[in-house]
Amino acid sequence: MVDATEEPTVRTRVLNGVAVPSVPPEEEQDYYPNHERASIRSLRRHVRRGDSVVVVGGGWGASTVVAARMTHFEGEVTAFEPSSEMVDTIRHALTVNGVTDVASVEHAAIGPVREANAKYFGPADGDRLPPEAVPACDVLELDCEGAELAVLRVLDFRPRVIIVEGHPHIGCPGDEVKAELDRLGYDVVDEGTAGMDDDLPVITALRDERKGPT
């Protein structure tokens, strides 16, 4: 007989070097060293000490933790995540990885929400914010399940770095992302892939000071 007073075992996934405890009653431990490898690689290369970083689409929280580490705990990282289930997971991850002093999560979606995503991440039950609600930052990561172009098209500031995970199957193909980044005055410096089938383009771009103001 199970003692109802016992604390449930929490499963921990290790996602590209980031421990991410999930909700009980799962247990054991999984390792995914290539989780979001292109986005996380770019964060490790381009986030600087003291940077402000915004992550639109927090997911499991691995990107948020990595960004916080790369600021050398002297910056500020904010993740936006529409699902309360994933918000809880991100908060666990921030606590376990010791980055709560510089990283936080907002329970909100920025840009349009596809209800079909609920089967993967849980219901999008957070606040709904317009695409122009992205706060100014030094580094912007967009992985918001098809809302990436909507955000880029109304972006009224110029981060030093923009990292975008495209979603061609839901109206956000990589070539359109690159065209929009070029319009905004950015040079693509890295391209990779994400997704279970490596079919999602991940594009990293740096602001070209010659093409426009910050």
Side-chain angles (χ1 to χ4, degrees), residues 23-79:
V23 294
E26 296 176 312
E27 55 186 58
E28 299 180 354
Q29 202 168 86
D30 289 328
Y31 296 87
Y32 299 93
N34 292 321
H35 174 76
E36 302 289 355
R37 62 185 180 276
S39 298
I40 287 177
R41 179 179 67 228
S42 288
L43 289 169
R44 287 176 172 147
R45 286 178 177 173
H46 297 294
V47 174
R48 299 174 182 172
R49 182 186 296 270
D51 270 351
S52 60
V53 183
V54 171
V55 178
V56 182
W60 295 97
S63 290
T64 305
V65 170
V66 168
R69 289 172 175 170
M70 298 312 298
T71 70
H72 292 259
F73 299 90
E74 296 178 12
E76 180 180 20
V77 183
T78 304

Side-chain angles (χ1 to χ4, degrees), residues 110-111 129-136 150-157:
I110 294 182
L129 304 178
E132 57 268 28
V134 176
V151 172
L152 291 174
R153 286 169 179 156
V154 298
L155 199 65
D156 61 359
F157 66 97

Side-chain angles (χ1 to χ4, degrees), residues 72-94:
H72 292 259
F73 299 90
E74 296 178 12
E76 180 180 20
V77 183
T78 304
F80 289 85
E81 170 55 50
S83 164
S84 57
E85 294 180 23
M86 300 311 294
V87 165
D88 287 344
T89 297
I90 295 170
R91 286 176 176 157
H92 277 300
L94 300 184

Side-chain angles (χ1 to χ4, degrees), residues 136-152:
C137 57
D138 299 303
V139 180
L140 174 62
E141 181 188 359
L142 298 175
D143 180 8
C144 36
E145 306 303 317
E148 295 83 9
L149 282 170
V151 172
L152 291 174

Side-chain angles (χ1 to χ4, degrees), residues 61-200:
S63 290
T64 305
V65 170
V66 168
R69 289 172 175 170
M70 298 312 298
T71 70
H72 292 259
F73 299 90
E74 296 178 12
E76 180 180 20
V77 183
T78 304
F80 289 85
E81 170 55 50
S83 164
S84 57
E85 294 180 23
M86 300 311 294
V87 165
D88 287 344
T89 297
I90 295 170
R91 286 176 176 157
H92 277 300
L94 300 184
T95 299
V96 165
N97 289 279
V99 297
T100 54
D101 284 350
V102 293
S104 62
V105 56
E106 298 288 336
H107 186 198
I110 294 182
V113 173
R114 297 183 72 255
E115 299 302 336
N117 292 330
K119 66 180 178 180
Y120 303 109
F121 305 111
D125 49 4
D127 294 336
R128 303 291 179 92
L129 304 178
E132 57 268 28
V134 176
C137 57
D138 299 303
V139 180
L140 174 62
E141 181 188 359
L142 298 175
D143 180 8
C144 36
E145 306 303 317
E148 295 83 9
L149 282 170
V151 172
L152 291 174
R153 286 169 179 156
V154 298
L155 199 65
D156 61 359
F157 66 97
R158 299 292 180 266
R160 188 183 72 252
V161 184
I162 299 180
I163 304 164
V164 183
E165 181 177 305
H167 296 83
H169 59 295
I170 50 177
C172 185
D175 57 348
E176 290 190 31
V177 170
K178 287 190 283 187
E180 195 61 33
L181 289 168
D182 181 69
R183 183 190 69 82
L184 291 170
Y186 285 80
D187 289 328
V188 173
V189 295
D190 190 33
E191 295 186 58
T193 57
M196 294 181 63
D197 299 316
D198 278 333
D199 57 346
L200 304 180

